Amino acid sequence: MQIREGAVEIEVPEQETEGIDDAVFFNPVQELNRDLTVAALRAYREREDRAESYLDAMAASGARGVRAAVDGWDATLCDLDPEAVALCERNLERNGVEGEVVERNVNALLHESVYDVVDIDPFGTPMPFADAALANARDLVCVTATDTAPLCGAHFDSGVRKYSAIPRNTEYHAEMGLRVLVSALVRTAARYDVGATPILSHATNHYARTYLELDHSATDANEAVDGLGHVHHCEDCLHREHESGLIAHPPETCQNCGGNRVMTAGPIWLGQLTDSEFAAATREQVSEDMGTAEDCRDLLETLGAELDEPTHFDQHKLCKQWTRSAVAMDDFLEQLRDAGYEATRAHYGGTTFKTDATVAEIEAATSE
């Protein structure tokens, strides 16, 4: 069947079901992801005008690569499946654009060819492709992970194996997964003396997505590693604190409630997940032909305003913990600001927020 997405018309195979797991070639649920990618690529090219080549590493139907080619990128579409390769060629031709289509293992391709931007969007974990991408891309690596259960700690052993970190299943599990992913990618890049810095990141529709800008020196790699650390989370009162460094020093008891059910996650990325200026620039590049344009703009606005804190809170879960009724989010955040704390909405859900206040300070500031 044929679909229209953004400025392109794409042929995609009929899917037997609407389930994500069955969408082998084309996943319509990922339209927001692809729309944001196009906008981010436009913003990045304006900032770094030397960036010209783009690799769609798991091309499938070629939707992402064809859209990049239509926008003027020197696009390469790579896939191991000969049917996908043929489909990519037809979709490039259908839209009147040129691009190279390669039937190849992308890891082998990346060790032979260099691209300014590499986009890794597999089904499941991206880690089998991270080394090749981060060692050989010039400027930007875009990464999607759909295995959110291991990332978030729900499938603990799998998360430890794949990401070489301790994930924990907390009420901020989506952010936990995103920060575990970035941590694993930053550590991978550092092995090749590459500093990887996230400039745009989000957790949406059961996947995590990050855009990592690369700097090629040991000094840059060291600075990136300095952004890693651990979070210590109390299961009783929901208090959390964080410490920098690759070696954790877990507290024996919670400094807020005195309980001993404190669990530690890490190493995770503690630094900024999104550069506010780049989020604003990406928002300006969202075009009306995108099917998710309004959602993209709303998401980017929230991302650009989020406080630079390593975890977020959920107002409803806090209020349940305190056995009180929740108030309107805007009023709740205003109470925190009136008490002298910073507070913003977070993109992880309608009742999620970020603040520099502790759990005890949040409770006191919003008790009236």
Side-chain angles (χ1 to χ4, degrees):
M1 64 179 180
Q2 297 176 14
I3 61 100
R4 189 153 192 93
E5 188 172 280
V8 305
E9 187 176 90
I10 299 291
E11 176 190 343
V12 300
E14 296 276 359
Q15 300 296 328
E16 294 182 1
T17 75
E18 296 181 357
I20 291 176
D21 291 347
D22 298 300
V24 177
F25 282 97
F26 181 80
N27 184 359
V29 176
Q30 292 272 7
E31 184 176 6
L32 174 69
N33 186 343
R34 292 188 291 270
D35 283 349
L36 273 175
T37 298
V38 170
L41 289 176
R42 291 170 179 171
Y44 192 75
R45 190 171 52 188
E46 278 204 355
R47 194 175 79 173
E48 303 289 340
D49 56 7
R50 64 186 174 86
E52 298 178 352
S53 58
Y54 169 81
L55 173 64
D56 183 357
M58 287 87 186
S61 66
R64 210 179 293 258
V66 172
R67 292 181 68 177
V70 167
D71 264 7
W73 287 87
D74 178 9
T76 299
L77 288 65
C78 180
D79 206 289
L80 267 175
D81 188 331
E83 291 185 15
V85 168
L87 187 56
C88 288
E89 291 173 341
R90 293 199 300 272
N91 281 328
L92 285 167
E93 183 179 0
R94 178 185 301 276
N95 289 278
V97 290
E98 295 184 356
E100 183 180 8
V101 183
V102 181
E103 184 180 334
R104 195 77 189 281
N105 180 305
V106 72
N107 286 333
L109 177 64
L110 280 166
H111 283 299
E112 295 176 358
S113 304
V114 177
Y115 301 90
D116 298 324
V117 179
V118 175
D119 202 322
I120 304 293
D121 189 8
F123 180 78
T125 177
M127 296 313 294
F129 314 100
D131 283 82
L134 291 162
N136 298 296
R138 284 196 187 95
D139 300 314
L140 188 71
V141 174
C142 320
V143 181
T144 302
T146 60
D147 59 331
T148 53
L151 279 169
C152 299
H155 294 168
F156 180 81
D157 291 337
S158 178
V160 172
R161 288 196 312 272
K162 293 175 181 176
Y163 295 98
S164 300
I166 303 297
R168 294 296 187 184
N169 193 10
T170 64
E171 74 271 11
Y172 46 92
H173 54 86
E175 182 166 13
M176 175 68 68
L178 186 54
R179 291 184 178 276
V180 167
L181 172 65
V182 173
S183 168
L185 295 171
V186 166
R187 284 178 281 129
T188 300
R191 290 202 295 271
Y192 302 99
D193 291 340
V194 174
T197 304
I199 57 174
L200 183 66
S201 310
H202 61 101
T204 315
N205 291 338
H206 309 293
Y207 65 87
R209 175 77 164 169
T210 187
Y211 300 76
L212 298 165
E213 188 167 36
L214 307 183
D215 295 291
H216 297 267
S217 78
T219 300
D220 295 316
N222 290 340
E223 290 179 358
V225 170
D226 286 342
L228 302 175
H230 295 78
V231 168
H232 310 297
H233 174 90
C234 178
E235 297 181 83
D236 292 325
C237 72
L238 306 184
H239 172 78
R240 72 288 305 261
E241 55 192 86
H242 61 273
E243 64 167 327
S244 298
L246 292 176
I247 300 175
H249 303 88
E252 293 185 4
T253 59
C254 173
Q255 70 173 22
N256 180 54
C257 71
N260 59 6
R261 295 207 309 148
V262 178
M263 58 184 182
T264 296
I268 67 170
W269 176 255
L270 295 178
Q272 182 175 273
L273 284 169
T274 292
D275 178 271
S276 59
E277 291 184 2
F278 186 72
T282 301
R283 190 174 188 272
E284 291 179 2
Q285 297 294 339
V286 175
S287 51
E288 291 304 326
D289 60 12
M290 295 178 178
T292 67
E294 185 176 350
D295 290 337
C296 282
R297 292 192 184 102
D298 289 345
L299 175 59
L300 288 163
E301 184 176 9
T302 302
L303 289 172
E306 277 186 2
L307 281 179
D308 183 17
E309 295 287 336
T311 67
H312 67 270
F313 294 93
D314 188 302
Q315 185 217 17
H316 284 184
K317 291 181 179 178
L318 287 177
C319 289
K320 181 179 180 181
Q321 177 82 7
W322 302 329
T323 63
R324 71 162 77 151
S325 299
V327 300
M329 273 296 293
D330 288 341
D331 294 339
F332 185 85
L333 296 178
E334 195 59 37
Q335 287 177 319
L336 283 171
R337 297 185 191 114
D338 288 344
Y341 303 107
E342 291 187 277
T344 65
R345 286 182 179 267
H347 79 279
Y348 302 98
T351 58
T352 61
F353 67 98
K354 292 206 166 194
T355 181
D356 57 350
T358 65
V359 164
E361 291 167 340
I362 297 169
E363 183 177 15
T366 61
S367 60
E368 296 181 0

